[in-house]
């Protein structure tokens, strides 16, 4: 029987880390997955840094990042000092990277995904399935969508989500972490393995409502192409085999919206935590911001993504409270917001200086969420999200956060 071929779409700090996790698992579970993992890399020319162990063998000229990754098996720019499994193949050609892939793992800063989906249209196998590791929301004039939904709609595939308390470097160093994977495709993917050649009862294709899968809101039907019978089924058990490692524990749930929203909205909260820390305020201030933050996350989910969003996803899973804690301790959004306040500089200036090409997701998410809340007339019901936006806009100062949170009470 056939095996699943995996492509990681993205190769930044988290993208490369997830490629490592997945490539270790495709080697281990050779009955389900092809060993080789394609990793699409946004091509750029880089110098191997002087403090890198591969510096001595480097040329004086900048080289293609893909060639460096494929020769020294390390992403020297976005995940330095982490040896990568040799079955990862860095590929600068998006269409070639996804060729024949039945599992597409989307992992890149959220601002780039629209263009990627456009480029992928018509080039993926129809029965492909997706997992979005993106922490952000797709806000447009039509409203607010999860990236799992956006990808699903654009490509006509089912797409789940992976999100958790996962500072990439810690996972890459194999320090213990947990994560949450939300994967709830229609029944037809979960069939028990059938003898090769046996037609599936639903082989004509199943009408599924892409939105209902994640949030219970009606948004038109799409035909999902069934997984051919000669592939191993893609149920929770096999999805776990793709991501679970001894140092990276995976919990599977069905609440795609809850998982995606926790990851996206905590980035706004982490900025607020950074602001109060930058003022030299203590852990109590940070905890207050986090308390309000998780309440606003749940409220946002229930208000805009329907009753299928479970409060427990936020309060009990890695993608909720645990991600909030880790992000408000050592995340990039937190650290850059803190430095911005300490140094009296714009956060974009700090991002540019500190992150060597990595992207903050919290600033754009704060703007996007605000534009959506304003349109819905709900800004006042989300005082923390609104305060972060106002501070980024320069209309309020971080010192005003206590008053802004207490405005109604
Ligand atoms: P990153 O912050 O390292 O971003 C850099 C990546 O963006 C590089 O691969 C770069 O090539 C790519 N890029 C730059 N310009 C581009 C363009 N025009 N088109 C396409 N790609 C371009 O990215 P990351 O850390 O891998 O984050 C990906 C997602 O994972 C984000 O949504 C993030 O919130 C989430 N996430 C990150 C971490 C983490 O610790 N880094 C942990 C969990 C989740
Ligand atoms: P930052 O993007 O703020 O570094 O957060 C990383 C993360 O998502 C940890 O789970």
């Amino acid at each position: 029987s056939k095996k699943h071929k995996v492509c990681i779409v993205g190769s930044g700090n988290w993208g490369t880390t997830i490629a490592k996790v997945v490539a270790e698992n495709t080697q281990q579970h050779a009955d389900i997955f092809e060993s080789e993992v394609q990793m699409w890399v946004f091509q750029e020319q880089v110098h191997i840094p002087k403090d890198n162990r591969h510096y001595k063998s480097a040329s004086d000229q900048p080289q293609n990042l893909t060639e460096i990754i494929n020769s020294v098996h390390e992403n020297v720019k976005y995940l330095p000092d982490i040896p990568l499994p040799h079955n990862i193949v860095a590929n600068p050609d998006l269409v070639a990277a996804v060729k024949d892939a039945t599992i597409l793992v989307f992992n890149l800063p959220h601002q780039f995904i629209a263009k990627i989906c456009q480029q992928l249209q018509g080039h993926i196998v129809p029965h492909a399935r997706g997992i979005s590791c993106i922490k952000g929301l797709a806000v447009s004039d039509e409203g607010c969508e999860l990236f799992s939904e956006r990808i699903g709609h654009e490509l006509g595939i089912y797409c789940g989500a992976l999100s958790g308390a996962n500072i990439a470097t810690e996972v890459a160093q194999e320090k213990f972490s947990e994560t949450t994977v939300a994967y709830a495709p229609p029944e037809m993917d979960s069939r028990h393995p059938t003898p090769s050649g046996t037609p599936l009862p639903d082989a004509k294709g199943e009408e599924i409502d892409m939105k209902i899968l994640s949030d219970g809101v009606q948004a038109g039907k799409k035909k999902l192409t069934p997984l051919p019978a000669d592939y191993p089924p893609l149920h929770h058990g096999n999805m776990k085999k793709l991501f679970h490692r001894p140092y990276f524990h995976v919990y599977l749930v069905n609440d795609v919206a809850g998982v995606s929203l926790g990851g996206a909205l905590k980035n706004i909260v982490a900025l607020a935590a950074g602001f109060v820390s930058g003022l030299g305020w203590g852990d109590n201030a940070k905890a207050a911001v986090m308390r309000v933050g998780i309440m606003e996350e749940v409220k946002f989910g229930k208000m805009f993504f329907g009753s299928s969003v479970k409060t427990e996803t936020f309060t009990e899973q890695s993608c909720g409270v645990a991600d909030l804690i880790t992000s408000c301790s050592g995340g990039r959004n937190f650290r850059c917001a803190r430095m911005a306040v300490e140094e009296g500089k714009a956060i974009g200036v700090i991002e540019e200086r500190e992150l060597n090409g990595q992207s903050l997701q919290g600033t754009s998410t704060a703007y996007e969420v605000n534009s959506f809340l304003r349109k819905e007339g709900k800004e006042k019901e989300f005082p923390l999200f609104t305060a972060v936006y106002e501070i980024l806009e320069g209309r309020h100062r971080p010192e005003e956060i206590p008053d802004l949170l207490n405005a109604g009470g």
Side-chain angles (χ1 to χ4, degrees), residues 135 164-167 266-267 323 326-327 331-334 359 361:
K135 292 184 175 174
N166 300 144
I167 303 243
K266 64 85 188 170
N267 284 331
D323 195 9
T326 206
S327 297
R332 299 170 297 186
N333 287 286
F334 168 75
S359 289
Q361 302 282 269

Side-chain angles (χ1 to χ4, degrees), residues 104 106 124-130 148 151-159 208 210 222 224:
L104 303 170
F106 294 88
I124 59 169
V125 297
H127 50 269
R129 302 291 181 257
S148 45
I151 292 165
H153 287 151
E154 298 278 332
L155 302 180
I157 61 172
Y158 174 77
C159 187
I208 57 148
M210 306 296 287
K222 288 222 172 177
L224 188 72

Side-chain angles (χ1 to χ4, degrees), residues 248-270:
F248 190 59
H249 285 196
V250 169
Y251 293 87
L252 273 132
V253 300
N254 290 325
D255 180 6
V256 181
V259 170
S260 306
L261 289 170
L265 298 172
K266 64 85 188 170
N267 284 331
I268 308 179
V269 187

Side-chain angles (χ1 to χ4, degrees), residues 22 47 106 188 198 203 243 289-290 342 354 367 391-392 405:
V22 164
H47 280 289
F106 294 88
M188 63 185 181
T198 308
F243 294 109
V289 160
M290 289 162 74
E342 282 169 349
E354 294 291 320
Y367 276 85
I391 291 167
L392 290 171
L405 296 189

